[in-house]
Amino acid sequence: MSLKSIFGANTMSRFLLMRTVSGAGLVLVVCLATFVAVTLLPGDAANFVSGRSASPERLAEVRERLNLNDPVAERFFRWGLRAVQGDLGPALTSPRQVSEIIAPRLRNSLILASIAAALLVPLAVATGALAGALAGGSMDRGLSVISLVLLSMPEFFLGTLLAYWLGVKWHLFPPIALFDAAQGPWSNPAVLVLPCLTLVITNLGYPARIIRANVAEAMSGRVVLTARLNGIPERRIVWKYALRNCLAPGIQVISLTLLYLLGGIIVVENVFQFPGIGTLAVEATQQRDLNVVLGLVATITVIYALVMLLTDTLIILVTPKLRTLRF
Amino acid sequence: MTKTNRVRLSDRIFARFRENRARTPALAACLGAGLMIAGPWAALAETPQVGGTLRAAWVGGGAADKLDPTTWLTILELARISAVFDRLTKINENGKPELMLAQAMTPNADASVWTVKLRPGVKFHDGSPLTARDVLYSFKSAIGRGYFAATNFSMIDLQKSRMVDDLTIEFVLNAPNAEFDRVVSDASASIIKDGTTDFSTTAIGTGPYKIVNWVPGVRTELTRNEAYWGNPVALDKLDMIEIDDDNARINALLSGQIDLAVNVPPYFASQLEGAPGYSVAYGSGSTAPAFYMRQDKPPFDKAEVRQALRLAIDRKKCVEVALDGRGTVGNDLFGPSHPSYARDIPQREYDPEAARKLLDKAGIGELQVELVTAPVVGMLECATVFKESAKKAGIEISIRQISPADLYNTQSVYLQVPFGTTEWKGVSFQEMARTGLLQSSFANETANKNPAFDAAFAKAEAALDPAARNAQFAALQRSLWDDGGYIVWGIQTPVTAFSDRVGGYEGLAGAEVGFLPSGIGNLWIKH
């Protein structure tokens, strides 16, 4: 039975199937790599559960209870089998379930990332379009310099500066995101301001520059020239003709930025002690809580794979040439 | 000694205020042991206010945090234990045991049997009365769990120890121990309810605070125990928040998100001193960052090598650089704030020439060693100073830096590497010895496996006269000073920072004589 007989000649569904399969493969490979990496780190969770004050016998007992003595391959297989059924197992360093630990943290991070993205995307498109439309002018040059500065600013550096100036010095916003992970940031929305600001500022440069380049290119193209000769107002030309032409690269760059945001969030969360997946990842790695680390990695990889799939699908939908392409 | 007199006066004042149930230990506060305040003195003279919430930040252990008083690992856990639980005795500001839940502790003629009379009318947080059964169970459970307590209380013969009546326990010891009233002041000796095995969600003690809400790795919300046998605390609520990152903890304080921060790194202290609205308290204590050399691993199996390294470290510079001058030079011994500390032993100085001679004598000449350390409380900085100062003695130290979280990782570093880093907080020589210097100690960092030492230690513990006992402890410290494996280069000054709204912090921020932070019950806040 061929794929074609299952899905018919529909290129789109075949594309989706292929991407789903490769996405699942990606998740598997990343989890395996993480598993190996964490087991290679010196020490295990038993050390952190019992630590310095435990007798060697007690440590051995804890190790046995956590199944840390079993062969690595067997442990990974067991974990994988459970994980595909949606069970991430118990944490090693606390009596709770991994999913129970990750869920509120993931929600907090997604809230932070969504607000940052909601500000970032329109801002990037607007500044990119503005600079591109006025390519070569002083406004363009100014924006270009600013975006380059923002692009090269590391999150931890800007985060620390903002925490100091806006938090400690001027008392405008809390420099530390002190809130109960389970309750979420809405109990005190002010804690979101500085992490969001850091994420938006440091991530704005790249998409803005790409959009600017594409808009500038489109503005010097024949379509725009014809439109201008037809007397169409300049603003309409930018929005309707130039921007539409860079829809595909725009989606691409925005999705890349969103994925990058997921990485940046780990640093930013640690600067502001924001109880999300970033701070959890650092803590779990330090404590060698393999189950939590794996649960987190699997979750993040699935999100990555989904965003990439969505991006590619959107690009195909908005690009007529690709829509009819045969895979 | 003037310090002792001052403290006694303060104790008397505290006692009187307890009787009156008036919460005005202002004068006592001013007289707090060994405490220097850089900040407005006005706050001290004010009357404590009842009520309010105090938010205090500690360094914790994350999701692995526990409420079990016998399995603690972090300072936060210790602070929480002293808030929620009581012990039979506690170590007071003089470094001496003081009765807590025990009304009397009497040894027999050779201190091999101790009779403990409990304070009547003490209630657990759930309202049940404290009985001898709870006390016996607490020790049985602590020993059974296999943590530090297993060695610390190994002198108790659980089979023979018994409950005499509801409020009397007879502890039969395996060997005479004249310091049993000090031994039971340990955090692991916290009294829990008979039959308690689960500490996963809450903990029930007899302490001044009750747990309202506990989120591991995040916060512990405590409230006043109205039925406390002592003076009820002033605060309505104490919020213990976990902020591990030093910068974040200070930022949270300076932005008003918290009122008090403990474990302030020395280099932040000067920055905080000038900040309006905030004060810094320096305690005097026994927290000793140290390097350990394992005597069972070459080249540290040679006494000359250990002595040469001890002479090759510029301690003064270490304290200056690593502790920002906030501390005192160490003399390779632990527990300087305790009565048992051997004060007569001369201070070891930096002497690279003598070190070189020792190495020549041992026929070693040039020595190359690797020191494993981590960036915590100035250890890495001190290691760097050590590396430089040892060059003059012909010793080449290479530094291997690891993550602070791995410092006590027994699978890779701790007790494995020949030359490593450690830290002992607030303990006396004898407490430290039980945990780390006897053959049975499982934190025996220097591989001190010496039957003669163990025998001499047991003999000292049995000496009934405190002066004679301390003299024997001093002799043991001398032997360690002569050829032991520790390089205790400095004694750190504990730094606590707080907003001017906070009062009654003297006990908490002051002299760190016992392993448990004391005075957590005296905190109050202006509101």
Side-chain angles (χ1 to χ4, degrees), chain B residues 216-391:
Chain B
V218 183
R219 70 173 66 212
T220 315
E221 288 166 44
L222 302 161
T223 185
R224 183 191 307 125
N225 174 12
E226 299 283 1
Y228 191 52
W229 56 270
N231 199 16
V233 298
L235 294 172
D236 281 343
K237 209 175 142 206
L238 174 62
D239 237 358
M240 298 174 81
I241 303 164
E242 194 166 312
I243 309 179
D244 292 349
D245 185 74
D246 291 336
N247 263 312
R249 204 160 59 254
I250 305 304
N251 280 350
L253 176 74
L254 290 178
S255 63
Q257 288 178 281
I258 55 167
D259 310 298
L260 188 153
V262 300
N263 282 69
V264 176
Y267 45 88
F268 276 114
S270 49
Q271 185 194 330
L272 281 163
E273 273 170 18
Y278 300 94
S279 303
V280 185
Y282 299 103
S284 63
S286 286
T287 291
F291 300 121
Y292 64 83
M293 301 175 276
R294 286 194 70 81
Q295 300 174 52
D296 57 354
K297 290 194 173 155
F300 305 103
D301 48 351
K302 288 196 173 75
E304 289 90 351
V305 170
R306 301 196 294 273
Q307 289 302 86
L309 278 157
R310 286 163 144 194
L311 289 165
I313 180 168
D314 189 342
R315 292 153 202 260
K316 282 194 184 112
K317 203 163 183 186
C318 275
V319 171
E320 205 178 292
V321 172
L323 302 180
D324 205 27
R326 289 176 169 82
T328 50
V329 167
N331 197 23
D332 300 331
L333 299 169
F334 295 96
S337 54
H338 292 268
S340 62
Y341 185 69
R343 287 177 177 77
D344 298 335
I345 299 176
Q347 173 62 48
R348 185 168 273 132
E349 303 288 344
Y350 175 47
D351 192 346
E353 276 312 305
R356 195 184 278 271
K357 275 185 199 145
L358 272 173
L359 290 179
D360 286 344
K361 199 178 128 198
I364 290 174
E366 297 286 303
L367 179 66
Q368 286 179 339
V369 287
E370 184 189 66
L371 172 60
V372 179
T373 193
V376 270
V377 280
M379 287 174 183
L380 183 62
E381 291 87 339
C382 178
T384 315
V385 171
F386 194 5
K387 182 187 164 96
E388 284 308 307
S389 62
K391 275 182 188 159

Side-chain angles (χ1 to χ4, degrees), chain A residues 42-44 47-50 52-56 58-59 63 93-94 167-168 171 174-176 178 273 283 287-288, chain B residues 61 63-64 66 73 145-148 245 248 251 254-255 257 405-406 408-412 414 422-424 442 445:
Chain A
D44 59 25
N47 251 303
F48 292 86
V49 174
S50 310
R52 185 189 187 186
S53 68
S55 64
R58 182 81 196 129
L59 268 178
R63 209 156 273 145
T93 53
S94 80
V168 175
H171 289 235
I176 304 299
L178 283 182
Q273 301 277 299
E283 192 187 300
Q287 299 184 333
R288 310 283 192 273
Chain B
K66 294 173 216 73
L73 287 172
R145 276 165 204 269
Y147 286 76
F148 273 158
D245 185 74
N251 280 350
L254 290 178
S255 63
Q257 288 178 281
D406 279 332
Y408 301 111
N409 183 339
T410 46
Q411 282 170 314
S412 62
Y414 191 58
T422 186
E423 186 191 43
W424 289 81
F442 45 75
E445 297 167 335

